[in-house]
Amino acid sequence: MKKTLLAAIGAALAFASPASAGPADTLNGPYLGAEAGGSVSGTTVETEAGSYDLYGQGAAGGIFAGYGMTFGNFYVGGEVNGTFGSLKSEDLGASIEKDYGYGLAARGGYLLGSGTLGYGVIGWERARFDLKDEVSSSKEWVDGLRLGAGIEQAVSDTVTARGELNFIKWQGKDFGVDNIDAHEINAKVGLSYRFN
């Protein structure tokens, strides 16, 4: 999984290469896209018998749609997304798995060159978690705060490529008698089609 994360970050840097040039106005207007990459997570589970830490990794993917506009060299936009993957942490007969979710985010950035956008992300995520042990299973929706940064490159008049790194702090949540407190780091690369 570490190789997957490194490959995703490397692809993000490659997208910023000056060799990939496109018109800056490609970044204006509505868009639709898909992305894939990997995630790592850390989770503290508190039970009646004590607490323990779980660490996991898995694939991450999703679809997204949004709208953005440039104002001089500045960019402002908003985005909704659906996520899926197989992020799982397990140890000592217990496991917690995040399967799918959705969210919305604001994006703001600055044009670094010809069709190259550096941007930051702040948003809200909601995902389905499944906590299992040797005798029971419990599923709950959990909310989280998403902070991220990325680079997006116009590769044609209608297509952009991007690489993004996110940190998600999941809200503490009760699963019956157990409580979880989790965070996640994911790296993804994606392509989007601009309807401009």
Side-chain angles (χ1 to χ4, degrees):
M1 184 51 57
K2 290 180 180 178
K3 291 182 179 179
T4 303
L5 288 173
L6 291 174
I9 293 169
L13 295 176
F15 290 150
S17 169
S20 297
D25 59 6
T26 298
L27 297 168
N28 291 325
Y31 58 91
L32 180 67
E35 59 189 356
S39 296
V40 294
S41 68
T43 305
T44 299
V45 180
E46 297 181 358
T47 70
E48 294 178 332
S51 66
Y52 51 95
D53 295 324
L54 301 176
Y55 299 95
Q57 58 188 25
I63 56 174
F64 55 88
Y67 187 92
M69 290 294 295
T70 54
F71 300 90
N73 285 333
F74 293 94
Y75 174 91
V76 178
E79 191 171 284
V80 296
N81 65 285
T83 61
F84 56 86
S86 59
L87 180 58
K88 186 174 184 178
S89 307
E90 57 185 340
D91 191 23
L92 302 174
S95 69
I96 184 163
E97 184 170 6
K98 188 194 79 172
D99 294 320
Y100 54 88
Y102 57 90
L104 55 89
R107 298 202 311 155
Y110 189 81
L111 292 171
L112 304 174
S114 180
T116 303
L117 173 69
Y119 64 91
V121 178
I122 182 169
W124 164 83
E125 295 285 317
R126 185 170 174 83
R128 186 77 160 179
F129 282 78
D130 185 6
L131 178 64
K132 297 179 181 179
D133 58 29
E134 296 175 343
V135 296
S136 64
S137 175
S138 179
K139 295 182 179 181
E140 295 285 349
W141 285 96
V142 182
D143 296 317
L145 172 66
R146 171 187 169 197
L147 300 173
I151 296 175
E152 186 165 8
Q153 175 66 53
V155 295
S156 76
D157 289 343
T158 56
V159 176
T160 64
R162 73 185 192 184
E164 191 173 287
L165 183 67
N166 292 284
F167 172 82
I168 303 174
K169 177 62 177 77
W170 296 105
Q171 181 183 23
K173 185 75 174 182
D174 289 325
F175 283 70
V177 297
D178 299 334
N179 178 273
I180 68 162
D181 189 6
H183 65 271
E184 172 187 349
I185 299 172
N186 63 56
K188 300 177 184 178
V189 293
L191 290 173
S192 62
Y193 182 83
R194 301 274 173 163
F195 299 92
N196 51 10

